[in-house]
Amino acid sequence: MKPTAGFHLAALLLASVSMPAFAQQDDRVITIVTPYAFDNIDSCNSSSEVGLIVRENVVEALTHLDEVTGEPQPRLATAWEQVEPTVWRVTLREGVNFTDGSPFDAASVERSIERMFNPALDCLNRGKLFANIRLTPKIVDDHTIDISTEQPQPLMPLFMSFLTIESPKTEMDRPTSTPVGTGPFTVTPRGPNDPTVLVRQDAYWGEAPEVSQATYLRRDESTIRAAMVEVGEADIGLNIAIQDATNPETDIAYQNGETTRLRFSFAAPLDDIRVRRAMNMAVDREALRDGLFNADYVLATQMYLPRINGYNPDLQPWAYDPEGAMKLLEEARADGVPLDIEIPVISRINFYPNGQEAMEAMVAMWQAVGLNVRLQTMERAQWLKLVNKPYGEDRPPMLIQEQHDNNSGDATFTMHFRYHSTGQQSEFGDPELDRLIDAADAAQGEERTKLFQDANAYSSESVVPDVMMFHMVNYMRISPRLDFKPDAVTSTMMELSKIKFSGTN
Amino acid sequence: MSDMTQTAPLRPESAVAESFMMLWRDKFAFVSALFLLLVTAAALFGPALLPDGAMTMNLRGRNAPPFEWERGWVYLLGADNLGRAVLARLVIASRYTLMIAVSAVLISLVAGTVLGLLAGYCRGRVETVIVRGADILMSFPSLLLALIVLFVLSPSVSNVVIVLAISRLAVYLRTCRAEVMEIRERQFVTAARALGASHARMIFIHILPNVIPTLMTLATLEFSAVMLSESSLSFLGLGVQAPAVTWGLMVAEGRGYLASAWWLSFWPGVAISLTAISANLLANWVRTATDPAQRWRLEWRAK
Amino acid sequence: MGFYLRQRTIQSAISLLGLIVLVFFLARLTGNPADLFLPADTPQAIRDEYAARHGFDQPVIVQFGAYLMDLLRLDFGESLRDGTPALDYVLAAFPTTLLLSFWAMTISLTIAIVTGSVAAWHPGGVFDRIASLISLTGASIPNFWIAIVGVLVFSVWMRVLPTSGTGTPWHWILPVAVLFIRPCGVLVQVVRSSMLAAFASPYVKTARARGVRERAVIFVHALRNAMLPIITVAGDQAAGMINGAVIAETIFGFPGIGKLLIDAIMFRDFAVIQAAVMITAIAIFILNIGIDLLYSMLDPRVRHG
């Protein structure tokens, strides 16, 4: 036994020496602690939380959406123009190099687009953003490229903010754990299970960031993340739970782009609009917000935030009216609506902070007006089977807990998918709503905005397909030594160049 | 010491009295027994005794601190994150907690004992198959098992029982088999076999009674192990799901509030610990009371 | 002994094969990884494409055949999440968990043997009562609770230990503490009761009668006799370490096999689940063989068959 003990002792000592020392004395080195695994930080996954690390830090996109207005701004593209209805001509920035030395040019843009559409590569962006839009690049000259689509694509400058360009040396068929881009930081090669470390590169074409190195650690428990910033082991803690965000000096709330709702399946008794209305009226959203969430949460009237094109500012949240709800239900019952059928409320394990509590509370509110509802909790994969078409036959009446993020800037991502009769997560078909959405999809400019707004108004007044909840909020705990404010896009993109150090302006 | 083990046959009522006196002698065991009785009573009758409204959610009174008398006795231990009385939740949860722990322990005890007896008694191919099966069970991750059960079966409390029973079964099986193998070789068993006793007689008269005390001790130890595993499953989101509630789930749900409202996870944790400790102390007492060499420690007229 | 080892190895290999079959098929009952890897709003065509790319469109039995063939070449497959060989993940994580478990078991055994023996020396005495209560309490507190309270007390409030992560030996204190408390509590009970039995055995009585010093009686004669059940239970606790490791590694951000396994399970990263289960199982089988060998060293009557 003795040699074994000695071996382990040696191994422990070795482990303690070889681990990277996080508490380096360089005061420009920061540590960010998140709940995410970041298994696969290939830039093709940048529309997920991977974007926190890679977007604009490592790989840059052609355009950059303004944090306030949502308008596309130049980044790797300096100008863009719709030369034909289906063709956009993009002028590229000159004098930019990838961190591996390759030059940034039209060929690298073409290759990045083709890599994203390469069916042999697992790529989240392809499925999430470009599932129905095939981009075809055509090189005009070294720094000009034409991007064409099958249908006219007015939103191209917006899409270009997701087109991250990686080095032409990136493998076409395999995801990489060390993406190489034109950004101000490079990814340090790492072993399996090691944290991701970004190091500042000196040859960056733009302004040099203050942060010289950033380490992304993973801790699953919010309590631990909050504690790490409090004791100085980390500088930024992401997704701090509401109950841990107790220090207004360091704990900052920001809208994370997510909106929550419960979706109705349209089976009896939920096929009756009075029942759907009554269920909306029976929920005391303000009590939910103040009790379980926080004043920073906003009562939602539609599935995306006001900064998204197509948001209808005139819609009002449902007023809490349990008596009115009971009256509606009585009417429905008198007309033979089978209100005795049990309605499951499907919640998902570990969905969002206090999500389970919110479901329990809403179930109690519905029971209070005499509805026969029952909470049913599901694991993620089970829940996914339930939310996506094709639905099983005899789909029962139910309410399904959902959360949706539209960080793209336009309503189409949301509207078609959830409210159009052909949408993959739509529970109903309403000809008028279909007509409005189709018309909006084909329109541009103000007309497009107006049509989406009309669709939203029509849906919430005449269809009532859901119980809207909140525009959600995240909390971030930020060390006092940093000068940083999260903004509307921080949940998907956290530019290290925006992080300054206190007292160094 | 030998004369003490030869106690005269007692009438039933005096045997009960004798047991009670022996229990009274061991104050720890006595308190434990009282506590377990209390928990059982709470599980059986508690929910009916709770005042109206104790389980109603009250979002404006969430996380009310404990020991505030003016809110009424059910709020003595504070209120949870939905404003429900923690004490009332503990009582409701005791029913599921005990049900899960007792049935999981019983199922794995019975199944493990039967398989262990078979393996130890039959030897040969039967034994090989059972022992290999136990090896597989021991190394099959219980988390994966929990996920499979959660996914394949519709959500219910019995899922957790199945997971816990299967994942703890091998412990009984191995212990039982080891005991049987040892007892088989004892003189009285070999003698009985030589005299042509039937298999049933061998197992039920000669072997089983000698195996049971060890297994019972193991079962009480496992009782706390099962409650803790159930809590760990809840921590990972794979255990009991709301609206059902157990102490383990309460600890797991309350852990996020340890820094701000400690009582959410503290009281259910105390309930688990006290129940587990009581079960163990009582088991120690039973072991002492049934062991002729130790019994004198608990008897009045010992000196 | 050589024969015995060979036979045990063959038996373990059979069990391992059974385990692989079970894990492979049962894990595939828990849903399609394409649903979990891809965002909820991915169109069906892209889901199908993903499934085809990773072979999930094949019948499960065909998938299993291909997996076995790869396994014969020691190819455990690749992680679905980033294409890294599953074995690389497991081998990188394994030493961390092994070290954690090693320290937790060593400390529990040491504390348990000393405490349990002294408690058994005067059963019912003050020390026995206190040791029993403390060890029982330790054995009945949820470990994640201990972990979080530990961080709040020692890292946030007292600021004497780091909250989490690896790096210095200080980082190991809380995770090891979380892992050792329960096995230690159980082992104290086991040591106490087997020592009680050992003190009553003729063997120890003879030693006493021969005038052997009391300390030697406890730690040499009685302990040697009491060792068999202690080793059995310690072996079970060590084999069950993986479950505690999941919790400790999750909370403290330790890159060990427990965390790897639970992540792989949650993402249905089948290749990593299978590799992690297999490597853990091999470790447990080796542990069991070691325990059997210890038995025969301590008690020559135990025959191997």
Side-chain angles (χ1 to χ4, degrees):
Chain A
M1 280 280 104
K2 266 183 188 135
T4 330
F7 161 72
H8 284 312
L9 190 63
L12 177 64
L13 288 174
L14 202 68
S16 60
V17 176
S18 63
M19 292 289 175
F22 296 127
Q24 280 176 7
Q25 287 314 301
D26 183 343
D27 60 0
R28 291 295 181 260
V29 172
I30 65 166
T31 300
I32 297 169
V33 57
T34 80
Y36 306 118
F38 297 126
D39 296 308
N40 183 345
I41 59 166
D42 192 289
S43 52
C44 215
N45 298 331
S46 62
S47 57
S48 69
E49 70 272 0
V50 168
L52 281 173
I53 293 186
V54 299
R55 273 181 83 186
E56 311 299 6
N57 293 326
V58 179
V59 285
E60 294 178 291
L62 292 178
T63 60
H64 180 82
L65 299 187
D66 186 276
E67 286 75 21
V68 183
T69 62
E71 285 295 309
Q73 307 289 319
R75 186 62 57 121
L76 285 178
T78 51
W80 47 90
E81 180 191 5
Q82 196 165 16
V83 287
E84 281 170 48
T86 60
V87 180
W88 283 80
R89 176 156 298 173
V90 182
T91 313
L92 304 175
R93 192 175 293 278
E94 297 189 27
V96 175
N97 284 312
F98 290 99
T99 47
D100 62 3
S102 330
F104 166 75
D105 53 18
S108 54
V109 175
E110 180 189 39
R111 197 174 184 279
S112 286
I113 293 176
E114 265 158 18
R115 184 172 187 265
M116 182 173 65
F117 285 103
N118 173 15
L121 180 76
D122 288 339
C123 174
L124 289 183
N125 292 5
R126 179 170 74 242
K128 187 155 183 173
L129 302 160
F130 297 98
N132 305 312
I133 305 154
R134 179 66 166 97
L135 307 181
T136 313
K138 191 167 149 256
I139 298 174
V140 178
D141 64 40
D142 256 8
H143 289 94
T144 316
I145 191 164
D146 282 350
I147 301 176
S148 54
T149 49
E150 283 146 12
Q151 306 292 322
Q153 198 39 266
L155 298 177
M156 185 58 77
L158 196 150
F159 284 133
M160 278 158 49
S161 72
F162 290 98
L163 277 183
T164 48
I165 310 301
E166 58 267 336
S167 161
K169 290 178 186 156
T170 313
E171 266 192 83
M172 280 300 268
D173 295 342
R174 290 183 62 84
T176 173
S177 59
T178 50
V180 173
T182 56
F185 290 87
T186 54
V187 182
T188 313
R190 61 181 187 126
N193 309 324
D194 288 344
T196 304
V197 180
L198 300 190
V199 179
R200 186 172 60 201
Q201 61 130 336
D202 296 328
Y204 181 57
W205 60 270
E207 196 187 328
E210 284 189 19
V211 172
S212 66
Q213 183 183 318
T215 302
Y216 295 83
L217 297 180
R218 175 191 185 187
R219 298 290 182 269
D220 286 52
E221 291 291 303
S222 156
T223 313
I224 305 289
R225 293 194 294 275
M228 287 178 77
V229 180
E230 187 178 345
V231 304
E233 288 175 26
D235 300 293
I236 294 179
L238 291 184
N239 291 32
I240 301 297
I242 303 156
Q243 59 269 19
D244 290 322
T246 47
N247 182 353
E249 299 283 306
T250 57
D251 306 338
I252 313 293
Y254 59 100
Q255 282 194 330
N256 61 10
E258 303 273 7
T259 305
T260 49
R261 70 164 182 172
L262 282 151
R263 178 218 297 188
F264 290 111
S265 73
F266 280 46
L270 295 179
D271 56 350
D272 191 291
I273 193 167
R274 288 169 295 190
V275 181
R276 299 200 297 274
R277 285 206 172 110
M279 290 191 84
N280 267 295
M281 290 152 74
V283 174
D284 188 351
R285 292 174 175 79
E286 278 166 22
L288 273 183
R289 179 188 64 191
D290 301 341
L292 285 177
F293 300 106
N294 187 294
D296 299 313
Y297 285 70
V298 176
L299 268 60
T301 56
Q302 44 214 304
M303 277 308 270
Y304 37 79
L305 292 160
R307 66 183 147 88
I308 306 295
N309 181 37
Y311 181 87
N312 187 334
D314 301 327
L315 301 184
Q316 294 301 316
W318 288 87
Y320 175 52
D321 179 9
E323 286 80 24
M326 279 191 264
K327 232 174 82 188
L328 269 181
L329 289 175
E330 244 161 67
E331 263 175 49
R333 193 188 296 273
D335 289 350
V337 175
L339 282 173
D340 297 327
I341 297 178
E342 187 182 64
I343 306 167
V345 175
I346 313 291
S347 81
R348 193 179 113 180
I349 298 171
N350 296 338
F351 205 172
Y352 45 80
N354 285 344
Q356 185 70 21
E357 287 87 345
M359 290 304 111
E360 286 186 54
M362 288 168 83
V363 163
M365 288 169 181
W366 286 319
Q367 283 167 345
V369 295
L371 281 157
N372 185 10
V373 289
R374 176 176 54 91
L375 184 62
Q376 191 179 339
T377 311
M378 284 194 178
E379 203 269 339
R380 184 157 150 245
Q382 268 175 319
W383 174 90
L384 279 168
K385 266 205 306 209
L386 207 63
V387 294
N388 279 309
K389 281 181 182 170
Y391 302 140
E393 281 169 37
D394 299 331
R395 192 164 171 81
M398 55 190 165
L399 281 94
I400 308 173
Q401 184 186 20
E402 287 190 321
Q403 171 168 265
H404 170 68
D405 68 318
N406 183 337
N407 281 317
S408 67
D410 190 83
T412 182
F413 292 94
T414 309
M415 296 304 287
H416 206 91
F417 204 73
R418 284 163 205 273
Y419 297 109
H420 194 280
S421 58
T422 61
Q424 187 171 332
Q425 296 186 358
S426 164
E427 299 272 356
F428 59 92
D430 185 287
E432 173 60 11
L433 193 52
D434 283 2
R435 192 190 64 76
L436 285 167
I437 294 173
D438 288 337
D441 269 340
Q444 289 193 44
E446 279 177 28
E447 192 196 347
R448 183 185 181 90
T449 311
K450 176 81 176 53
L451 281 163
F452 275 130
Q453 288 178 345
D454 290 350
N456 266 327
Y458 177 80
S459 162
S460 64
E461 277 148 32
S462 310
V463 184
V464 196
D466 40 28
V467 177
M468 293 302 307
M469 293 173 64
F470 304 101
H471 297 309
M472 305 296 278
V473 163
N474 271 1
Y475 293 86
M476 184 186 275
R477 178 167 281 188
I478 304 169
S479 155
R481 84 184 181 103
L482 297 187
D483 177 14
F484 175 63
K485 285 273 173 289
D487 55 43
V489 295
T490 304
S491 57
T492 52
M493 169 163 58
M494 207 168 118
E495 281 183 90
L496 293 174
S497 57
K498 286 186 187 163
I499 299 176
K500 312 285 181 200
F501 292 87
S502 305
T504 55
N505 292 326
Chain B
M1 209 189 288
S2 60
D3 54 340
M4 268 170 247
T5 57
Q6 295 168 348
T7 36
L10 296 156
R11 278 169 317 192
E13 59 267 34
S14 68
V16 171
E18 170 96 1
S19 301
F20 181 81
M21 290 319 283
M22 279 168 66
L23 188 57
W24 177 247
R25 210 40 225 285
D26 184 341
K27 291 295 181 294
F28 278 98
F30 184 76
V31 175
S32 302
L34 275 187
F35 182 77
L36 287 179
L37 270 179
L38 178 77
V39 171
T40 315
L44 290 178
F45 314 112
L49 296 177
L50 290 173
D52 284 347
M55 288 307 295
T56 321
M57 134 196 117
N58 168 19
L59 289 177
R60 293 190 165 84
R62 67 193 300 255
N63 294 349
F67 309 122
E68 286 188 345
W69 296 97
E70 64 270 25
R71 295 171 58 88
W73 63 269
V74 275
Y75 288 94
L76 183 62
L77 302 183
D80 73 359
N81 50 356
L82 289 176
R84 297 171 296 202
V86 171
L87 183 59
R89 294 269 291 166
L90 279 179
V91 169
I92 306 266
S94 65
R95 184 173 280 190
Y96 279 130
T97 308
L98 288 194
M99 207 173 82
I100 289 174
V102 169
S103 29
V105 166
L106 278 183
I107 293 173
S108 47
L109 172 68
V110 171
T113 309
V114 170
L115 289 171
L117 274 176
L118 275 176
Y121 188 80
C122 300
R123 315 297 298 259
R125 191 163 294 166
V126 177
E127 184 186 26
T128 313
V129 170
I130 292 178
V131 171
R132 292 290 77 77
D135 278 354
I136 294 175
L137 269 190
M138 289 283 274
S139 37
F140 194 91
S142 52
L143 298 166
L144 180 58
L145 185 68
L147 185 77
I148 293 166
V149 172
L150 184 68
F151 195 84
V152 175
L153 305 179
S154 61
S156 79
V157 173
S158 57
N159 289 355
V160 181
V161 174
I162 295 173
V163 173
L164 294 173
I166 294 181
S167 60
R168 309 303 301 181
L169 193 151
V171 178
Y172 298 93
L173 195 159
R174 284 158 55 111
T175 313
C176 178
R177 169 173 165 264
E179 289 276 312
V180 172
M181 282 167 63
E182 197 253 336
I183 291 165
R184 267 178 72 97
E185 305 308 322
R186 287 202 200 154
Q187 274 185 350
F188 70 95
V189 182
T190 42
R193 196 183 305 140
L195 289 172
S198 70
H199 287 307
R201 191 176 166 77
M202 291 288 295
I203 289 178
F204 289 107
I205 306 291
H206 295 294
I207 296 181
L208 198 56
N210 286 294
V211 180
I212 279 180
T214 315
L215 289 175
M216 291 310 288
T217 313
L218 185 64
T220 45
L221 284 172
E222 282 291 303
F223 189 73
S224 59
V226 162
M227 279 196 290
L228 292 179
S229 302
E230 186 254 304
S231 187
S232 292
L233 285 178
S234 292
F235 170 82
L236 296 165
L238 298 172
V240 173
Q241 305 295 343
V245 59
T246 61
W247 293 337
L249 181 64
M250 289 174 74
V251 182
E253 284 182 342
R255 73 177 187 276
Y257 294 84
L258 271 168
S260 50
W262 53 268
W263 50 95
L264 264 60
S265 71
F266 181 75
W267 298 121
V270 168
I272 293 179
S273 298
L274 284 183
T275 309
I277 294 170
S278 302
N280 280 304
L281 288 176
L282 200 63
N284 282 347
W285 173 82
V286 171
R287 204 163 42 224
T288 313
T290 51
D291 180 352
Q294 299 276 330
R295 188 184 165 95
W296 59 271
R297 294 179 195 282
L298 300 167
E299 286 179 347
W300 275 116
R301 294 152 286 130
K303 300 203 173 79
Chain C
M1 191 61 79
F3 171 75
Y4 164 74
L5 272 182
R6 203 175 322 129
Q7 196 165 5
R8 274 304 295 256
T9 311
I10 293 170
Q11 288 169 350
S12 301
I14 294 170
S15 300
L16 205 57
L17 189 68
L19 184 67
I20 294 169
V21 174
L22 215 59
V23 170
F24 190 95
F25 286 97
L26 288 182
R28 274 162 180 75
L29 291 179
T30 59
N32 186 350
D35 295 339
L36 289 153
F37 178 78
L38 301 170
D41 38 12
T42 309
Q44 190 59 38
I46 289 193
R47 287 179 194 280
D48 293 344
E49 186 189 297
Y50 178 88
R53 191 160 55 246
H54 295 282
F56 296 126
D57 54 340
Q58 307 273 330
V60 180
I61 190 79
V62 175
Q63 292 180 39
F64 184 65
Y67 179 70
L68 276 190
M69 293 314 286
D70 285 346
L71 212 51
L72 288 179
R73 297 195 307 267
L74 284 184
D75 175 358
F76 283 71
E78 291 174 350
S79 160
L80 272 181
R81 285 170 286 172
D82 65 353
T84 305
L87 195 60
D88 288 8
Y89 263 125
V90 174
L91 291 183
F94 192 64
T96 308
T97 308
L98 200 63
L99 262 180
L100 265 181
S101 314
F102 170 79
W103 286 112
M105 276 321 288
T106 310
I107 296 174
S108 344
L109 264 176
T110 314
I111 295 182
I113 286 176
V114 174
T115 317
S117 307
V118 177
W121 187 237
H122 289 295
V126 177
F127 184 87
D128 182 26
R129 292 295 198 188
I130 293 175
S132 272
L133 265 186
I134 292 180
S135 63
L136 280 175
T137 314
S140 54
I141 303 177
N143 44 13
F144 61 87
W145 196 89
I146 299 178
I148 296 175
V149 171
V151 170
L152 290 176
V153 170
F154 293 105
S155 310
V156 178
W157 185 46
M158 291 167 70
R159 309 252 166 147
V160 290
L161 291 175
T163 59
S164 56
T166 50
T168 65
W170 298 107
H171 285 92
W172 290 70
I173 293 180
L174 281 175
V176 168
V178 165
L179 273 183
F180 99 81
I181 286 178
R182 185 173 156 74
C184 187
V186 172
L187 282 170
V188 168
Q189 301 294 312
V190 174
V191 171
R192 178 183 175 278
S193 63
S194 25
M195 287 299 269
L196 270 180
F199 284 144
S201 72
Y203 179 68
V204 170
K205 283 184 180 154
T206 320
R208 272 196 187 140
R210 280 212 327 267
V212 179
R213 277 187 308 133
E214 280 299 309
R215 198 173 296 168
V217 167
I218 295 185
F219 286 108
V220 179
H221 294 85
L223 192 56
R224 191 191 166 90
N225 246 20
M227 219 49 202
L228 285 186
I230 297 175
I231 289 173
T232 311
V233 176
D236 280 347
Q237 294 290 334
M241 266 299 159
I242 184 81
N243 289 321
V246 172
I247 307 277
E249 290 169 4
T250 300
I251 291 179
F252 293 107
F254 256 59
I257 209 157
K259 183 64 190 144
L260 183 72
L261 183 64
I262 185 75
D263 279 351
I265 287 175
M266 291 303 188
F267 278 96
R268 316 296 195 270
D269 195 346
F270 296 140
V272 175
I273 298 178
Q274 283 146 205
V277 169
M278 237 183 295
I279 299 295
T280 321
I282 290 174
I284 293 175
F285 288 145
I286 292 175
L287 179 82
N288 282 336
I289 294 177
I291 286 172
D292 281 358
L293 291 180
L294 260 183
Y295 272 177
S296 59
M297 273 163 58
L298 286 166
D299 185 351
R301 286 171 305 172
V302 175
R303 284 170 294 118
H304 295 304

